[in-house]
Amino acid sequence: MPFFQQLHIVDTHVYTWQLTETVVQLSSGLTLSQREEERLTTLHSEKKQREFLALRHLLREAQLPTTALYYTSEGKPQIEGQYISISHSHDFVMIALSPHPIGIDIERCTPRILRLAPRFTPWQAPSDMDELTQIQAYTQLWTIKEALYKIADLPSVRFYEDLQVPHFQSFASRQQALITHPEGDKAYETRSFFWEGYIWTVVSEE
């Protein structure tokens, strides 16, 4: 299908593409620069190629030239004049654009998160919470911390210790998160969304 969704959150714009097309279909009507064409040929996975092309469709939906996107030596996406964050999971590609630092992450809810949970959070689900609800809760928490990690942009940040949701409430659409720094903690606002087995969160400065 074509462009899936645009969402406006205060001064942040979120664009979502649902990947149902082939590489050929996504290439149709899309003019790439020589550098982009060369980059596309280095992607040997069809999934990566589809994500690459869908991302450029999203940039067009945001009325930006596809060549506006570039990456730092550390691999962080950049667009001159504003901040961008990118995420993808299975059949979805998302970008968030904002005049302020921004982080976004989307994840599909799978049982694997239950095994990973002790590695990324001290929070423990209540004993009376059923497994499906636990999966959703931990997935939400992961998306918050992953979006925080992107907005932190600090190689030294510790995922478990420094990215915190001190009063995490599962399924709450809005809550506060922190990134701890030696010079003091910095607070961020998180907004989580739930859609047919997926959870995505956007994090911005308060």
Side-chain angles (χ1 to χ4, degrees):
M1 67 178 288
F3 179 64
F4 179 65
Q5 185 188 73
Q6 176 185 350
L7 185 63
H8 184 206
I9 309 170
V10 191
D11 56 2
T12 296
H13 292 270
V14 177
Y15 298 85
T16 306
W17 192 281
Q18 187 173 16
L19 281 171
T20 60
E21 307 93 337
T22 65
V23 170
V24 172
Q25 289 170 328
L26 284 167
S27 299
S28 178
L30 193 63
T31 302
L32 301 178
S33 68
Q34 181 177 345
R35 177 177 292 183
E36 288 174 312
E37 291 281 9
E38 292 172 353
R39 173 60 180 155
L40 182 61
T41 60
T42 67
L43 302 174
H44 301 298
S45 161
E46 183 179 344
K47 181 176 184 295
K48 293 293 185 183
Q49 293 175 354
R50 293 167 69 218
E51 289 172 352
F52 179 93
L53 294 168
L55 173 57
R56 274 130 188 97
H57 279 287
L58 290 178
L59 291 171
R60 291 206 319 177
E61 291 292 340
Q63 299 183 353
L64 291 168
T66 62
T67 52
L69 176 67
Y70 64 98
Y71 292 84
T72 66
S73 57
E74 293 79 24
K76 184 175 177 63
Q78 302 278 304
I79 285 187
E80 189 172 343
Q82 58 186 316
Y83 292 90
I84 184 171
S85 185
I86 300 170
S87 184
H88 43 76
S89 178
H90 298 274
D91 294 332
F92 290 93
V93 178
M94 303 185 76
I95 64 171
L97 296 165
S98 175
H100 312 290
I102 195 77
I104 193 169
D105 188 62
I106 180 172
E107 300 291 341
R108 188 168 70 174
C109 297
T110 68
R112 180 172 177 267
I113 197 71
L114 299 179
R115 299 193 303 273
L116 295 176
R119 304 181 191 177
F120 70 82
T121 179
W123 183 80
Q124 294 185 342
S127 58
D128 61 346
M129 184 180 282
D130 65 79
E131 182 174 295
L132 176 59
T133 307
Q134 287 186 42
I135 290 170
Q136 294 170 325
Y138 281 116
T139 302
Q140 180 186 7
L141 190 48
W142 172 268
T143 64
I144 292 174
K145 298 195 75 169
E146 184 67 25
L148 275 175
Y149 183 80
K150 292 177 181 179
I151 205 172
D153 193 26
L154 295 170
S156 60
V157 71
R158 298 171 299 176
F159 202 87
Y160 186 101
E161 297 91 344
D162 297 335
L163 309 177
Q164 300 182 10
V165 191
H167 306 292
F168 176 66
Q169 294 180 301
S170 55
F171 302 98
S173 59
R174 299 175 67 172
Q175 50 198 312
Q176 189 186 68
L178 300 173
I179 300 177
T180 62
H181 298 275
E183 62 272 18
D185 298 348
K186 190 166 186 179
Y188 295 86
E189 182 179 42
T190 78
R191 293 174 183 253
S192 296
F193 301 81
F194 308 83
W195 190 82
E196 293 190 7
Y198 286 82
I199 298 175
W200 62 274
T201 295
V202 60
V203 173
S204 58
E205 293 183 342
E206 288 198 323

